[in-house]
Amino acid sequence: MKVLEDLAALRAWRATRGELGFVPTMGALHEGHLTLVRRARQAAGQAVLVSIFVNPTQFGPSEDLASYPRTLERDLELCRETGCDAVYAPGPEDMYRAGATSFVEVGAVAEPLCGQFRPGHFRGVATVVAKLFLRAQPQRAYFGEKDYQQLQVIRTLVRDLDFPVEVVGVPTVRETDGLAMSSRNLRLSPSERLKATRIYAALQAGPSPEAAREVLRAAGIEPQYLELVDPDTLLPKPWPLQGRGVLAVAAYVGNVRLIDNLAFEGA
Ligand code: AMP
């Protein structure tokens, strides 16, 4: 497995490969990420590239960029074991030219849910993913449904800007007690870790947002948002649910912000 530390190394490696499956990550890899890698490996004849980059432009000034877990050596080992062909792990100076002023805005789909509480977050995500796509030139890219709004942002980006990339959404991988795997789970204390299991329990009480809210209330969790939305536009769906809906939640447990979602089919 090749470790590529800058754009020149990535370009040189890319030139030696044909079809490419790409898994962008911020590292602190867990079984959720590795499931994306395994899915990419299923496509016959496709090389698999993982990127590990904690992207500063998607963190707000009061967010957890400094405390975001960084476990590069272990990540490389996991990628090696899972059969990645290469890992692109650039530093911020490789990704962003000093004084860069161009960004990608995807519009409406980035505005509700997390968009309301993390101004600029999806602009940072869309910008870095567009740059990564241009740098790596993958045929396919794999994203988790756990970050449901992010997946819709990327689908919109690819469609609107004609990226020749197939976006593959992969179902959320959970711990045995239901908690969605997340790099941020590493920062939960044992009691917070237990409390966090109520987030998925709340979603399972859906699709009624009120029923879900009640489960959170009983656990002493005040959600930042808990909304039943259209799976494509992410606009609110009226209750009772007709057709498909996604119940999406964000909540702080201690000072760790967790998100999760669950899809439902109504009448
Ligand atoms: P991150 O490192 O958190 O930016 O995530 C990198 C990719 O892994 C994104 O496409 C995430 O949606 C995906 N991912 C993170 N956690 C999970 C999970 N529990 N199940 C499936 N995919 C996940």
Side-chain angles (χ1 to χ4, degrees), residues 9-155:
L10 172 63
R11 286 202 169 129
W13 177 82
R14 181 69 187 97
T16 67
R17 303 288 155 152
E19 289 232 329
L20 182 66
F22 178 43
V23 180
T25 82
M26 298 206 298
L29 300 185
H30 50 66
E31 200 49 39
H33 300 111
L34 300 180
T35 300
L36 303 188
V37 171
R38 290 194 197 97
R39 180 69 188 273
R41 278 181 42 85
Q42 281 170 11
Q46 168 172 276
V48 178
L49 173 72
V50 170
S51 65
I52 296 177
F53 180 63
V54 183
N55 175 35
T57 67
Q58 70 188 68
F59 287 80
S62 60
E63 294 184 352
D64 58 351
L65 174 63
S67 60
Y68 197 85
R70 288 165 172 84
T71 58
L72 185 61
E73 284 314 310
R74 189 180 134 73
D75 291 349
L76 295 177
E77 197 46 50
L78 290 171
C79 287
R80 203 170 280 122
E81 285 168 11
T82 317
C84 294
D85 295 283
V87 173
Y88 177 42
E93 68 300 332
D94 181 66
M95 186 60 71
Y96 292 108
R97 192 179 61 81
T101 54
S102 305
F103 291 90
V104 179
E105 297 274 4
V106 296
V109 79
E111 284 166 15
L113 306 178
C114 289
Q116 298 167 78
F117 298 97
R118 303 190 69 187
H121 169 66
F122 288 117
R123 172 172 121 141
V125 169
T127 301
V128 82
V129 170
K131 286 170 69 77
L132 286 165
F133 283 0
L134 290 167
R135 288 175 173 215
Q137 313 230 337
Q139 276 64 44
R140 284 179 208 88
Y142 298 79
F143 292 87
E145 288 176 357
K146 189 230 159 205
D147 300 277
Y148 190 82
Q149 187 171 19
Q150 170 171 282
L151 175 60
Q152 292 310 112
V153 162
I154 305 300
R155 288 193 194 285

